[in-house]
Amino acid sequence: MQPLRAYLEGAFRRGLDLPADGIVTVQDTSAMGSAKGRWTRPDFILISAMRFKFLPGAQVDVHSFELKTESGGSVPAVHEALAQTRFTHFGHLVWHLPERSKAEARLAEIEDQCEEHGIGLIRMRDPSSDGGCEILVDPARKKTLPAAIEGFLEARLTSEQKERLAGVVRGSG
């Protein structure tokens, strides 16, 4: 789990190309929120927020990340990541798939399923390496209802994280 957090806070964040005053919050949500329902707990979420210089309002994007082991990369794993987008804008499947793994035989099928459902696919080749993750499929933005996202974040962010996010949205943070 820690290598994924490091990747999200490092290389993934840099890839978002946020302005200097934009914020990113990464939260381990694997044990947070309701245990009711199927596939309701992504392993991590990442929230980015920024304000515009000339346009009114703020842009908030919520990403969910489902981490799977070498043997866990499967079509149901893609569907799990997809189900989590009922609370987020973007869903990602992060698959720990080392080089020359026997599970590489499933990679093309998983890529196709991710493409079809608009789910991002991140291959984690070597969790101990800074460059150990590679984005294979970019996610598509989902039209998730703001009320669903709001409730999801309310249940999973700390008071400090909520206040910081609200500050950016209000233009005071």
Side-chain angles (χ1 to χ4, degrees), residues 80-102:
E80 183 174 2
L82 175 62
Q84 293 163 358
T85 63
R86 65 187 185 267
F87 308 116
T88 66
H89 298 111
F90 300 96
H92 304 262
L93 173 61
V94 181
W95 187 10
H96 177 216
L97 184 62
E99 291 290 336
R100 295 179 294 283
S101 165
K102 290 179 183 176

Side-chain angles (χ1 to χ4, degrees), residues 151-171:
F152 179 78
L153 295 179
E154 184 67 39
R156 286 162 179 82
L157 296 180
T158 66
S159 296
E160 180 182 304
Q161 290 168 326
K162 287 185 251 187
E163 189 55 40
R164 187 170 170 230
L165 179 58
V168 170
V169 170
R170 287 191 308 263

Side-chain angles (χ1 to χ4, degrees), residues 9-151:
E9 291 175 343
F12 189 88
R13 177 192 175 132
R14 286 188 300 276
L16 295 175
D17 198 27
L18 292 171
D21 60 346
I23 66 162
V24 170
T25 298
V26 175
Q27 180 68 44
D28 177 343
T29 54
S30 60
M32 299 176 87
S34 174
K36 294 183 210 169
R38 190 167 183 184
W39 297 335
T40 59
R41 291 182 170 176
D43 291 309
F44 279 92
I45 58 172
L46 180 145
I47 304 102
S48 65
M50 65 177 179
R51 293 200 55 84
F52 299 104
K53 184 174 182 178
F54 301 111
L55 300 175
Q59 174 74 36
V60 176
D61 291 322
V62 181
H63 298 253
S64 56
F65 298 86
E66 184 59 33
L67 178 60
K68 293 299 181 188
T69 62
E70 184 175 354
S71 63
S74 63
V75 171
V78 175
H79 293 184
E80 183 174 2
L82 175 62
Q84 293 163 358
T85 63
R86 65 187 185 267
F87 308 116
T88 66
H89 298 111
F90 300 96
H92 304 262
L93 173 61
V94 181
W95 187 10
H96 177 216
L97 184 62
E99 291 290 336
R100 295 179 294 283
S101 165
K102 290 179 183 176
E104 275 187 306
R106 296 193 310 269
L107 183 57
E109 177 185 24
I110 302 306
E111 282 182 291
D112 289 346
Q113 287 292 309
C114 285
E115 286 275 356
E116 182 176 330
H117 296 294
I119 296 301
L121 178 60
I122 300 170
R123 180 180 182 170
M124 183 181 285
R125 294 174 192 271
D126 180 4
S128 65
S129 167
D130 283 342
C133 291
E134 174 186 14
I135 296 173
L136 301 178
V137 178
D138 288 320
R141 185 180 184 86
K142 305 297 183 185
K143 296 179 182 180
T144 309
L145 294 174
I149 293 172
E150 183 92 3

